[in-house]
């Protein structure tokens, strides 16, 4: 038995982490957020070079054929640096949907361009996690009608779209009849938006079903959870460093027990979720029956723990934590984003109960 | 990541399951009394290598090679079947590993076999009225007089002292040395003249622990483990073992499954508890945390099997998170059952024999005992996160 990352996974994590440290520092994130950049093309290119969008794409289709666990490791690294790049939809949900439900021709057409960064694919599945008034997509005769809200990785060239019956479709961003509107949120590191479909031609994935949608959501949720793990870890690390430097009453604040205990509580709550992220990644990779339950619980738990860490780490920084100067709020908001998207903790706990037959 | 145990372990698991089915009638109650049935069961388990598994045969153990996975499978299967995994207590869990580590050969031969068989029951005399979290400030003294140590002072919170045959005890033997270096680790019989045990009833209304008073208690000089003044080091070997065993997520999982059962069977206003979205949400919150603690446990286990895997922080948080989680789990059962959740003792509506109330309270005890949650947080902050150490008296 070996429960943990392989040496290759650790190396991969470290190389993505190093790249992001050098290229996605806070000033780069800020530039993206302040100027409403659509895509951070420099970062996208750098991550393509490292193989990030190619992760889950099989070698036969120009990818590197790794697993959901490897994707978790990358998501964690992206969260740690609040990197303003597409990932959960583009590199995890879209390839997963294509591999589970796409025809051979669709895999040939789409996967290589996801892998080489030639195309970014967003995901419009939010209606499966709670449809709002008016939203929802209906498919008939290869045409889509309706509206999809809160589309992930919105600045994309194409979209993976779920209809209300468990069908999945790929629609190009420039397809006639497709209208797009960006939706501003508190998290400015990851654009989301709304899609309108007025008789839009789209490619249905022939193998799609509610079960496939669920699996696509499982991996998307697991990626958002791993992103929170990374972001929360960064906030703890920064709080500990700050507490070791800032002095009040003639001593570093990190020597005050109240401050130490805030840090210890953050670490104690976050640390077990690391093992759970690995477990979820592994369960998805193995196609285990547990994957759905674990993904629901994991994202719910990291939603709660993430919120606690985001608040507490900010408090450790005092007034400075509340300012734009230290930029901690980018992490705070990223964690908040991950909590709400693709199902909030309350909703996911009901799904977890359903998965065990404990709720109707 | 590889979660498979391999065929040897699958076979081992099968062997245990078959054993548990075939010998079910011989098993005593879980956490029941140390009586004839319990000791016979203990003998059988040791013989088969299911209890005291890796302790050498000459000391009355199972004499098997250390194999963390097999130990794990044993713990899991006994918990799953809710069958007694043999005798427990501080002698077996704390003293035996200490003697194996630092005892003399004569001490091992004298104490380990009867301890394992259940004939020699121990209590742990560490805490004092003035020395709890700051254990190293303990003041019970032992002075050498000829061939004997002469002990005077008082211990408190001593679990099982009223049924124990022997005590392992921390005493101050070098009053002039710095506080951590003036302590020695002694062993003595509880019927030695000058020892008085007074019961303390705890909040569960049971007598789980005691006060123990020493007046000129004479203990043979060689009943010391480790050297004079090295008792703190000796004690730390076992404090670590103790913390590792508090907050075990596998036991918590057993309780979680019982909680789910009760929420499926109990009704209020004709509705099952589990069908109420508020209780269901609380249940799922707890389940998600139990799940994460089990994954954390796998990670810790794996780091013991594989070199180069660091899990020190993952391990450090288990006592803190595990005991708090278990306390909350028990509280949910009480809350969800409403007035029935209050039942304790002679009440026809009592559930689980009062277990939900009992464990809810007992786990508050375990949040305090074995190093309080606050002390655990100090440890996580200082050793886990490298934050400044607490100022210690006498070090300023
Ligand atoms: C169920 C149970 C069984 C026990 N069994 C045994 C036994 O068999 N043998 C034995 O020797 N002992 C036993 N104990 C004693 C146990 O180890 C002590 O109760 C424990 O270490 C705390 O010490 P104390 O009770 O003196 O509390 P104190 O140390 O007085 O603590 C009181 C409060 O102050 C806080 N505090 C103290 N120091 C600090 C600090 N540095 N930083 C922050 N907060 C601090 C504590 O967290 C706590 O909240 C048992 C206790 C319980 C509850």
């Amino acid at each position: 038995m070996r429960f943990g990352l392989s040496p290759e996974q650790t190396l991969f994590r470290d190389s993505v982490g190093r790249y992001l440290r050098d290229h996605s520092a806070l000033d780069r994130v800020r530039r993206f957020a302040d100027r409403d950049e659509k895509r951070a093309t420099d970062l996208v290119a750098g991550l393509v070079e490292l193989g990030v969008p190619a992760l889950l794409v099989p070698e036969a289709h120009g990818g590197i054929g790794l697993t959901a666990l490897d994707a978790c490791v990358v998501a964690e690294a992206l969260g740690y640096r609040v990197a303003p790049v597409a990932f959960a939809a583009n590199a995890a949900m879209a390839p997963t949907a294509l591999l589970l439900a796409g025809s051979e021709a669709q895999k040939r057409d789409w996967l290589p361009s996801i892998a080489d960064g030639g195309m970014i694919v967003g995901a419009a599945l939010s209606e499966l996690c709670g449809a709002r008034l008016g939203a929802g997509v209906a498919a008939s005769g290869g045409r889509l009608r309706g509206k999809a809200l809160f589309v992930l990785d919105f600045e994309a060239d194409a979209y993976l779209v779920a209809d209300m019956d468990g069908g999945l479709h790929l629609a190009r961003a420039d397809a006639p009849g497709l209208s797009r509107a960006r939706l501003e949120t508190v998290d400015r590191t990851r654009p989301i938006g709304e899609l309108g479909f007025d008789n839009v031609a789209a490619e249905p994935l022939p193998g799609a079903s509610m079960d496939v949608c669920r699996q696509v959501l499982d991996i998307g949720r697991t990626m958002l959870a791993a992103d929170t793990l990374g972001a929360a870890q960064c906030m703890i690390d920064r709080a500990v460093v700050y507490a070791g430097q800032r002095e009040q009453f003639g001593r570093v604040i990190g020597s005050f027990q109240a401050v130490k205990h805030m840090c210890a509580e953050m670490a104690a709550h976050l640390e077990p979720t690391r093992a759970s992220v690995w477990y979820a990644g592994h369960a998805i990779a193995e196609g285990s029956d547990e994957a759905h339950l674990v993904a629901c619980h994991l994202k719910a738990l990291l939603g709660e723990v993430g919120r606690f860490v985001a608040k507490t780490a900010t408090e450790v920084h005092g007034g400075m934590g509340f300012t734009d100067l230290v930029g901690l709020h980018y992490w705070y908001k990223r964690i908040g984003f991950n909590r709400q998207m693709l199902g909030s903790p309350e909703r996911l706990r009901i799904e977890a109960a359903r998965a065990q037959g404990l709720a109707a | 990541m590889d979660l498979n145990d391999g065929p040897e372990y699958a076979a081992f698991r099968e062997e245990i399951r078959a054993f548990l089915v075939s010998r079910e009638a011989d098993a005593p109650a879980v956490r029941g009394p140390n009586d004839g049935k319990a000791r016979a069961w203990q003998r059988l388990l040791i013989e088969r290598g299911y209890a005291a598994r890796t302790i050498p045969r000459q000391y009355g153990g199972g004499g098997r090679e250390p194999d963390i996975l097999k130990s794990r499978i044993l713990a899991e299967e006994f918990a799953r079947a809710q069958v007694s995994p043999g005798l427990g207590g501080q002698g077996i869990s704390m003293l035996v590993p200490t003697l194996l580590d630092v005892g003399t050969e004569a001490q091992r031969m004298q104490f380990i076999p009867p301890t394992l068989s259940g004939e020699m029951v121990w209590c742990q005399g560490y805490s004092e009225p003035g020395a709890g979290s700051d254990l190293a400030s303990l003041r019970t003294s032992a002075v050498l007089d000829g061939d004997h140590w002469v002990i005077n002072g008082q211990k408190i919170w001593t679990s099982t002292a009223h049924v124990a045959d022997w005590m392992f005890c921390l005493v101050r033997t070098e009053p002039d040395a710095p506080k951590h270096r003036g302590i020695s680790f002694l062993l003595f019989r509880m019927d030695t003249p000058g020892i008085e045990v007074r019961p303390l009833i705890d909040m569960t209304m049971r007598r789980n622990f005691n006060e123990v008073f020493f007046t000129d208690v004479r203990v043979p000089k060689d009943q010391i483990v480790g050297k004079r003044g090295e008792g703190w080091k000796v004690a730390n070997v076992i404090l670590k073992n103790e913390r590792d065993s508090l907050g075990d997520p596998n036991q918590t999982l057993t309780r979680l499954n019982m909680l789910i059962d009760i929420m499926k069977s109990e009704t209020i206003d004709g509705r099952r508890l589990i069908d109420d979205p508020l209780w269901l949400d609380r249940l799922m919150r707890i389940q998600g945390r139990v799940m994460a603690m089990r994954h954390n446990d796998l990670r810790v286990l794996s780091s013991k099997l594989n070199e180069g895997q660091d899990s020190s922080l993952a391990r450090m948080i288990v006592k803190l998170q595990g005991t708090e989680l278990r306390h909350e789990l028990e509280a949910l059962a009480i809350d969800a059952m409403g007035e029935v959740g209050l039942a304790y003792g002679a009440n026809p509506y009592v559930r689980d024999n009062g277990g939900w109330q009992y464990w809810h309270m007992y786990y508050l005890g375990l949040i305090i005992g074995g190093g309080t949650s606050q002390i655990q947080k100090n440890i996580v902050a200082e050793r886990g996160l490298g934050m400044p150490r607490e100022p210690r008296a006498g070090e300023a």
Side-chain angles (χ1 to χ4, degrees):
Chain A
M1 189 202 96
R2 190 190 160 92
F3 184 94
L5 303 180
S6 66
E8 295 76 30
Q9 283 159 338
T10 310
L11 273 177
F12 192 45
R13 176 186 66 190
D14 293 348
S15 64
V16 174
R18 257 195 317 275
Y19 171 80
L20 292 170
R21 181 196 64 205
D22 296 342
H23 297 91
S24 181
L26 182 55
D27 57 340
R28 180 68 193 90
V29 174
R30 245 187 233 292
R31 216 160 59 231
F32 181 88
D34 292 351
R35 297 194 192 155
D36 276 335
E37 270 182 68
K38 285 201 160 58
R39 287 187 201 171
T41 44
D42 51 335
L43 296 179
V44 171
L47 290 171
V48 166
E49 205 146 294
L50 288 168
V52 167
L55 267 179
L56 294 179
V57 175
E59 284 173 278
H61 295 294
I64 41 184
L66 292 177
T67 71
L69 179 55
D70 302 272
C72 285
V73 161
V74 171
E76 183 192 341
L78 294 170
Y80 194 94
R81 296 284 168 194
V82 291
V85 291
F87 184 75
N90 178 53
M93 296 168 78
T96 298
L98 276 158
L99 289 170
L100 289 173
S103 66
E104 283 312 308
Q106 285 171 327
K107 291 180 199 168
R108 264 199 318 274
D109 284 353
W110 293 84
L111 289 172
S113 26
I114 294 177
D116 69 15
M119 173 165 273
I120 289 181
V121 182
L125 276 77
S126 291
E127 277 64 43
L128 297 183
C129 316
R132 271 36 162 231
L133 204 65
V137 174
S140 78
R143 300 270 162 176
L144 301 180
R145 290 173 186 282
K147 187 157 77 171
L149 296 177
F150 317 122
V151 176
L152 266 180
D153 291 351
F154 184 68
E155 297 296 349
D157 306 295
Y159 298 97
L160 174 71
V161 182
D163 64 39
M164 297 311 286
D165 304 312
L168 285 167
H169 312 264
L170 285 161
R172 294 190 187 264
D174 56 8
L178 183 72
S179 56
R180 305 196 292 168
R182 181 128 155 201
L183 297 171
E184 196 167 318
T185 74
V186 66
D187 175 20
R188 298 177 70 89
T189 67
R190 280 169 306 170
I192 64 166
E194 166 177 351
L195 296 175
F197 299 90
D198 181 9
N199 208 25
V200 174
E203 287 182 34
L205 303 186
S209 64
M210 272 300 176
D211 189 54
V212 168
C213 290
R214 188 180 51 67
Q215 294 183 61
V216 172
L217 286 173
D218 286 343
I219 197 166
R221 288 166 170 170
T222 301
M223 293 307 120
L224 295 183
D227 192 274
T228 290
L229 170 64
Q233 184 62 56
C234 181
M235 291 191 90
I236 296 176
D237 291 349
R238 290 184 60 178
V240 169
V241 168
Y242 187 79
Q245 291 166 347
R246 166 81 175 162
E247 289 187 20
Q248 285 293 283
F249 299 96
R251 49 196 266 213
V252 291
I253 57 166
S255 68
F256 293 115
Q257 201 175 48
V259 174
K260 279 161 61 176
H261 283 196
M262 283 199 272
C263 294
E265 282 168 17
M266 289 193 279
H269 283 294
L270 190 65
E271 197 58 21
T273 69
R274 183 179 310 283
S276 260
V277 165
W278 296 346
Y279 193 94
H282 181 69
I284 291 172
E286 299 280 293
S288 144
D289 293 342
E290 263 185 295
H292 178 55
L293 175 63
V294 173
C296 290
H297 267 319
L298 174 69
K299 186 174 178 293
L301 181 62
L302 267 160
E304 309 288 9
V305 171
R307 172 172 278 179
F308 170 72
V309 170
K311 166 178 180 278
T312 310
T314 304
E315 282 182 73
V316 169
H317 285 76
M320 193 54 87
F322 190 64
T323 65
D324 182 39
L325 285 173
V326 293
L328 265 186
H329 64 91
Y330 288 108
W331 280 260
Y332 183 100
K333 293 165 183 172
R334 179 121 168 169
I335 289 169
F337 177 96
N338 292 337
R339 181 183 161 104
Q340 307 302 114
M341 291 297 293
L342 302 184
S344 64
E346 290 74 12
R347 187 179 179 95
L348 290 171
R349 288 194 288 264
I350 292 180
E351 281 197 39
R354 285 196 189 117
Q356 310 167 73
L358 297 178
Chain B
M1 192 79 138
D2 174 11
L3 298 184
N4 291 319
D5 293 347
E8 183 194 345
Y9 295 100
F12 186 68
R13 200 182 282 279
E14 283 315 309
E15 173 195 318
I16 309 296
R17 288 190 179 170
F19 170 81
L20 289 171
V21 171
S22 67
R23 302 304 290 264
E24 203 188 334
D26 299 326
V30 180
R31 287 179 302 270
N34 175 354
D35 57 10
K37 188 173 187 186
R39 289 185 199 180
W41 182 245
Q42 174 81 351
R43 261 198 311 281
L44 176 65
L45 295 186
I46 293 176
E47 194 43 51
R48 300 201 52 132
Y50 299 164
R53 179 175 174 77
T54 59
I55 294 165
R57 278 200 184 276
Q58 74 261 33
Y59 306 135
R64 307 299 202 276
E65 285 297 307
D67 185 327
I68 295 170
L69 273 183
K70 285 192 176 163
S71 305
R72 163 61 157 253
I73 289 169
L74 281 165
E76 280 174 0
E77 291 304 319
F78 276 78
R80 212 177 58 102
Q82 298 188 30
V83 169
S84 163
L87 296 173
Q90 289 162 324
I92 290 177
S93 66
M94 300 177 76
L95 180 68
V96 168
T98 304
L99 291 178
L100 287 171
D101 207 36
V102 292
T104 63
E105 184 57 21
Q107 287 170 339
R108 292 177 189 165
M109 291 304 290
Q110 183 184 355
F111 297 117
I112 298 180
T115 303
L116 293 181
S117 68
E119 287 143 301
M120 192 183 270
V121 173
W122 292 81
C123 61
Q124 173 201 27
Y126 287 8
S127 304
E128 296 181 6
S133 298
D134 182 15
L135 183 59
S137 69
L138 60 91
R139 296 218 306 253
T140 294
S141 71
V143 177
L144 209 49
D145 175 27
D147 284 342
H148 286 80
W149 294 104
V150 181
I151 306 175
N152 280 285
Q154 185 199 341
K155 296 290 171 182
I156 195 168
W157 322 127
T158 322
S159 303
T160 67
H162 52 303
V163 291
D165 307 297
W166 284 71
M167 173 184 278
F168 55 96
C169 185
L170 291 179
V171 293
R172 187 156 303 279
T173 51
E174 330 298 314
D176 301 325
K179 69 177 184 181
H180 292 88
R181 270 179 256 141
I183 295 169
S184 299
F185 191 106
L186 301 185
L187 311 174
F188 47 81
R189 299 181 58 93
M190 287 299 283
D191 58 7
T192 316
I195 298 181
E196 190 198 343
V197 178
R198 291 187 206 153
L200 280 172
I201 304 299
D202 67 33
M203 69 184 290
T204 69
M205 300 314 281
R206 293 196 199 175
R207 178 183 182 179
N208 283 314
F209 49 36
N210 305 270
E211 290 179 288
V212 184
F213 296 85
F214 306 99
T215 316
D216 294 329
V217 176
R218 296 182 71 83
V219 171
K221 187 179 153 185
D222 60 350
Q223 286 176 197
I224 181 171
V225 181
K227 295 207 183 72
R228 251 184 102 139
E230 289 190 351
W232 186 251
K233 265 201 275 177
V234 175
N236 269 304
V237 174
I238 27 185
L239 282 180
K240 230 173 77 199
N241 283 329
E242 182 182 25
R243 277 185 202 133
D244 268 6
S245 69
L246 296 176
D248 173 17
N250 294 303
Q251 285 178 29
T252 306
L253 180 65
T254 306
R255 285 303 274 180
L256 177 71
N257 289 333
M258 291 174 69
L259 173 59
I260 292 174
D261 286 345
I262 209 162
M263 288 182 58
K264 285 188 346 198
S265 60
E266 292 285 323
T267 61
I268 290 183
D269 290 339
R271 178 162 77 160
R272 298 188 312 162
L273 297 177
I274 201 150
D275 294 331
D276 182 325
L278 286 175
W279 301 129
L280 182 67
D281 188 64
R282 274 181 63 183
L283 178 68
M284 289 299 104
R285 272 174 188 262
I286 300 243
Q287 188 182 49
R289 289 164 62 198
V290 173
M291 187 193 80
M293 290 306 290
R294 289 185 65 232
H295 298 155
N296 189 69
D297 188 52
L298 283 176
R299 179 181 171 202
V300 171
L301 173 71
S302 172
S303 72
K304 292 180 190 162
L305 294 169
N306 301 288
E307 259 179 52
Q309 282 190 15
D310 176 34
S311 70
S312 44
L313 186 58
R315 195 169 170 176
M316 232 173 257
I317 56 133
V318 171
K319 198 258 167 188
L320 173 63
Q321 296 299 89
T323 52
E324 301 272 359
L325 175 57
R326 177 74 186 271
H327 181 64
E328 282 183 48
L329 186 159
E330 305 290 333
L332 173 53
I334 294 170
D335 294 354
M337 289 188 287
E339 295 88 336
V340 168
L342 288 171
Y344 197 56
N347 180 322
Y349 303 106
V350 74
R351 302 291 191 264
D352 187 36
N353 210 4
W356 300 106
Q357 284 286 357
Y358 179 76
W359 290 113
H360 182 239
M361 290 186 270
Y362 195 76
Y363 264 80
L364 177 53
L366 291 188
I367 285 170
I368 297 166
T372 67
S373 283
Q374 290 68 38
I375 296 298
Q376 300 303 318
K377 287 176 198 172
N378 288 348
I379 294 173
V380 170
E382 293 172 15
R383 294 188 217 155
L385 302 175
M387 299 184 78
R389 283 170 61 112
E390 285 299 286
R392 269 158 237 266
E395 278 182 13

